[in-house]
Amino acid sequence: MAREFTRVGVVGLGTMGAGIVEVFARNGVDVTAVEISDGALERGRATLTGSTDRAVAKGKLVEAERDALLARVDFRVGLDALHDVDLVIEAVPEHLDLKQRIFAELDRVCKPDAILATNTSSLSVTEISVATTRPNQVIGIHFFNPAPVMKLVEVVRTVVTSADVVADVEALCERLGKVDVTISDRAGFIANALLFGYLNHAVGMFEARYATREDIDAAMKLGCGLPMGPLALMDLIGLDTAYEILDTMYRRGGRDRRHAPAPLLKQMVTAGLLGRKSGRGFYTYERPGSPKVVPDEYTPLAADAALADGARAIAKVGVVGSGTMATGIIEVFAKAGYEVVSVTRGAEKSAKVCEAVKTSLNKGVVRGKLSETDRDAALGRITWSATLEHLADVDLVVEAVIEELSVKKALFASLDEICKPGVVLATTTSSLPVIDVAMATQRPADVVGLHFFNPAPIMPLVEIVQTIRTSAETSATARAVCAKLGKTGVVCGDRSGFIVNALLFPYLNDAVKMLEASYSTADDIDYAMKLGCGYPMGPFELLDVVGLDVSLAIQRELYLELREPGFAPAPLLEHLVTAGYLGRKSGRGFRDHTRR
């Protein structure tokens, strides 16, 4: 039988501590809420009251429930008030010496059978536990912010934490309506270990001026379906907090360079640019604590002003290719009012592409997203061809053929001979160097990457990839075309992975390494990222959808170009691909899909 916790204590009533108090009180548990001073106590009380009042205003609590919740909380100054609680959760700032002092004092104050828990997100639970005479009763209970909303709790056991203590805490999490994942004491646990490497990489990308803050954030939100972009998320977390977590992970986690805080991060913290809480971080906010972003000196020009800068007129577009991506791109351009010439290798392939476009447009009509008139007009704008010479009078060519450099270079060499001067030549490659394709022509200034995401008619993002030879006019034209298509175009340099894949796949690779090390299960890692970070899919779900072979190829490209040791493909990923376990398309990847 799991232990019954009738009264718990919470030490520290900042945003996280007050949220933890609310979680317990909402679930009928009496709470002793402790702070260091009367002023801090009143601020904690105000935070809790404000949160519960907002819940009432949104209809998520009735007034009687709110009043009962608040009545369960005993606000006190000083740790002595915790002498009779069954469990204490510490939620003070992330400083090891501070936490050790508090735990030493809790060890003295609390009754012998009380469980002492820390909400640390990155520090060693083991190092905290040795400040007590009862390390077997010390455990990590890591809630995610905001605690009343976020479902995930990481339960962190040390090598000496009692099995009974772990079982009691797991049962408590279930009582609180949380999903717990139980793991051992390792830097960053699951969520932060995977999240902060990605966030730090994004800071480095911005620091190198590879892309703007707006484009980096838009790319990850629109390309991956994430709730926030990495730089906006850093501002929400607090740059000082992020720095401390990264520094701790670097020192405790084997000194992986990717966890070494980006130099820009240290500079911003030193300058007091801490994110939302200070009113300025990567973005500027209306006031300290406000979520509202206001323009500053780094805010891009209005879209119209940017697009007016030398963009060429585009009326007729050629699309080369017969796969899913080519089919989607044809549909996108035709629906946006462009005349489209579809070129495939042979009449049979043309017929298949034509049928696929018609089927997709018909689905749009059935779903009420497209009128029959608009469908017929879109189809009327498309010319079907099996001859590249029919591209002689187009204004833009979009190549969407197989991801083999030799094939693309040969195609671009042919387009260079066929197309009129001034035509923009675009490749949809997701991983190959655009400059290699551009240099197969005599007009590299006219070549650009337009990386659409699959399915192209639905996904709102296009990565506009500029090489060192791409002209400003070509880039402006690409941005204008994306805007007319109703897509968000994000501009970046010609580097392996561009924005999305360069940030996404190292994170997926890290998840595979975590599984490979038997630190956690695929299910728990997926739960942690979905419930703790709001990701639409866990890393192993996503890998099985993308295809393990595709993921491995992208990761190899990143490693070969950037030569970052941490980007080396996880051996487990290579072994699964060798064994033919490629994900959903083969029936088995990280999970067996034949039984579903």
Side-chain angles (χ1 to χ4, degrees):
M1 289 290 291
R3 180 174 175 179
E4 182 71 22
F5 295 96
T6 57
R7 176 169 285 276
V8 303
V10 177
V11 180
L13 301 180
T15 303
M16 181 56 77
I20 294 170
V21 169
E22 183 177 339
V23 168
F24 281 107
R26 270 180 184 253
N27 287 278
V29 181
D30 292 331
V31 185
T32 300
V34 172
E35 258 294 359
I36 193 171
S37 67
D38 289 328
L41 193 70
E42 288 311 307
R43 287 192 293 273
R45 190 196 303 268
T47 300
L48 177 61
T49 302
S51 176
T52 53
D53 285 348
R54 285 192 296 274
V56 170
K58 293 176 181 177
K60 296 181 179 180
L61 272 182
V62 299
E63 290 187 8
E65 290 172 330
R66 176 199 59 194
D67 295 343
L69 183 161
L70 295 174
R72 294 188 190 103
V73 184
D74 180 18
F75 290 93
R76 305 286 290 275
V77 173
L79 298 178
D80 287 339
L82 301 171
H83 62 89
D84 64 342
V85 300
D86 304 308
L87 165 71
V88 181
I89 299 181
E90 160 275 311
V92 303
E94 289 282 272
H95 302 296
L96 181 60
D97 57 345
L98 172 61
K99 291 181 186 286
Q100 287 178 327
R101 289 198 304 271
I102 288 173
F103 270 72
E105 186 64 13
L106 290 173
D107 188 37
R108 181 189 67 80
V109 168
C110 295
K111 58 189 182 183
D113 63 345
I115 295 173
L116 308 182
T118 174
N119 184 58
T120 184
S121 60
S122 60
L123 297 174
S124 167
V125 179
T126 304
E127 290 185 42
I128 294 169
S129 74
V130 296
T132 75
T133 61
R134 57 176 105 181
N136 61 314
Q137 291 168 232
V138 176
I139 194 168
I141 305 179
H142 179 215
F143 289 83
F144 286 73
N145 193 29
V149 176
M150 300 299 282
K151 285 286 187 182
L152 182 72
V153 175
E154 289 178 321
V155 177
V156 186
R157 58 172 180 249
T158 74
V159 291
V160 296
T161 304
S162 164
D164 289 342
V165 168
V166 174
D168 290 343
V169 169
E170 289 174 336
L172 176 62
C173 290
E174 185 176 357
R175 176 183 170 186
L176 298 175
K178 302 294 186 182
V179 175
D180 68 273
V181 294
T182 300
I183 47 181
S184 57
D185 184 20
R186 192 177 99 167
F189 313 137
I190 295 176
N192 282 354
L194 296 180
L195 176 66
F196 276 86
Y198 149 71
L199 295 179
N200 199 40
H201 190 185
V203 175
M205 190 177 276
F206 173 68
E207 183 176 25
R209 300 185 181 182
Y210 177 67
T212 66
R213 61 190 180 182
E214 288 84 1
D215 281 358
I216 292 170
D217 280 353
M220 298 314 290
K221 287 173 64 180
L222 301 177
C224 299
L226 303 186
M228 294 184 77
L231 302 178
L233 180 56
M234 290 284 265
D235 276 359
L236 176 62
I237 291 168
L239 273 61
D240 51 343
T241 301
Y243 179 86
E244 290 294 336
I245 290 172
L246 282 165
D247 190 52
T248 299
M249 287 172 54
Y250 175 71
R251 287 184 286 102
R252 288 187 58 211
R255 299 189 178 272
D256 185 333
R257 282 206 315 246
R258 291 176 312 116
H259 292 150
L264 176 62
L265 192 57
K266 177 68 177 293
Q267 294 164 22
M268 293 177 75
V269 171
T270 303
L273 306 178
L274 307 182
R276 284 191 191 182
K277 60 187 173 187
S278 69
R280 184 156 185 176
F282 289 102
Y283 296 90
T284 300
Y285 299 87
E286 192 173 44
R287 62 182 180 278
S290 170
K292 184 177 179 181
V293 174
V294 296
D296 58 22
E297 65 269 32
Y298 301 109
T299 302
L301 293 173
D304 291 344
L307 298 179
D309 184 22
R312 300 173 193 168
I314 303 294
K316 193 171 186 179
V317 178
V319 180
V320 183
S322 57
T324 303
M325 184 56 76
T327 302
I329 292 171
I330 292 166
E331 179 182 338
V332 166
F333 275 100
K335 286 197 297 189
Y338 289 97
E339 295 294 319
V340 181
V341 179
S342 166
V343 178
T344 63
R345 294 173 62 187
E348 185 178 342
K349 285 186 181 292
S350 266
K352 286 183 178 179
V353 173
C354 178
E355 192 59 36
V357 171
K358 286 180 179 177
T359 299
S360 180
L361 290 171
N362 285 333
K363 285 180 181 177
V365 172
V366 170
R367 293 169 181 168
K369 296 182 177 180
L370 195 69
S371 70
E372 292 186 6
T373 302
D374 287 341
R375 174 200 62 193
D376 295 342
L379 286 171
R381 295 186 192 105
I382 306 171
T383 301
W384 307 100
S385 171
T387 307
L388 286 175
E389 280 71 17
H390 287 158
L391 299 175
D393 64 342
V394 301
D395 307 307
L396 164 68
V397 179
V398 180
E399 163 275 310
V401 301
I402 190 170
E403 280 285 272
E404 287 185 13
L405 187 58
S406 60
V407 174
K408 291 182 187 289
K409 288 173 71 173
L411 172 60
F412 272 70
S414 297
L415 293 173
D416 189 33
E417 294 180 1
I418 292 166
C419 294
K420 64 187 181 184
V423 173
V424 173
L425 305 178
T427 172
T428 62
T429 182
S430 62
S431 58
L432 298 174
V434 178
I435 189 63
D436 283 2
V437 177
M439 295 308 292
T441 75
Q442 299 300 309
R443 51 174 105 181
D446 294 332
V447 178
V448 70
L450 284 180
H451 178 215
F452 289 79
F453 285 72
N454 196 30
I458 295 172
M459 295 296 282
L461 182 71
V462 178
E463 289 178 318
I464 299 170
V465 186
Q466 303 176 136
T467 76
I468 56 173
R469 296 290 296 271
T470 303
S471 70
E473 186 182 20
T474 299
S475 182
T477 305
R479 295 201 308 276
V481 167
C482 288
K484 186 174 178 182
L485 294 176
K487 304 290 187 185
T488 297
V490 297
V491 180
C492 60
D494 183 21
R495 198 173 81 179
S496 185
F498 311 140
I499 298 174
V500 174
N501 285 353
L503 292 177
L504 174 64
F505 281 88
Y507 147 75
L508 296 176
N509 196 50
D510 284 347
V512 178
K513 291 178 181 178
M514 187 177 281
L515 178 68
E516 187 174 47
S518 300
Y519 179 64
S520 189
T521 65
D523 286 344
D524 278 357
I525 294 170
D526 278 356
Y527 282 138
M529 299 314 293
K530 289 194 294 184
L531 301 178
C533 299
Y535 283 21
M537 300 179 77
F540 297 106
E541 290 177 279
L542 183 55
L543 281 161
D544 276 1
V545 169
V546 171
L548 274 61
D549 51 341
V550 174
S551 303
L552 178 60
I554 292 172
Q555 192 62 38
R556 281 174 172 164
E557 287 292 330
L558 288 170
Y559 179 55
L560 284 172
E561 179 165 321
L562 301 177
R563 305 300 172 100
E564 169 59 59
F567 285 176
L572 175 59
L573 183 61
E574 294 183 315
H575 295 167
L576 288 169
V577 172
T578 301
Y581 293 169
L582 308 182
R584 287 189 182 178
K585 61 187 173 186
S586 69
R588 183 165 179 180
F590 285 98
R591 294 184 174 89
D592 186 346
H593 299 279
T594 61
R595 299 178 183 177
R596 294 168 183 260

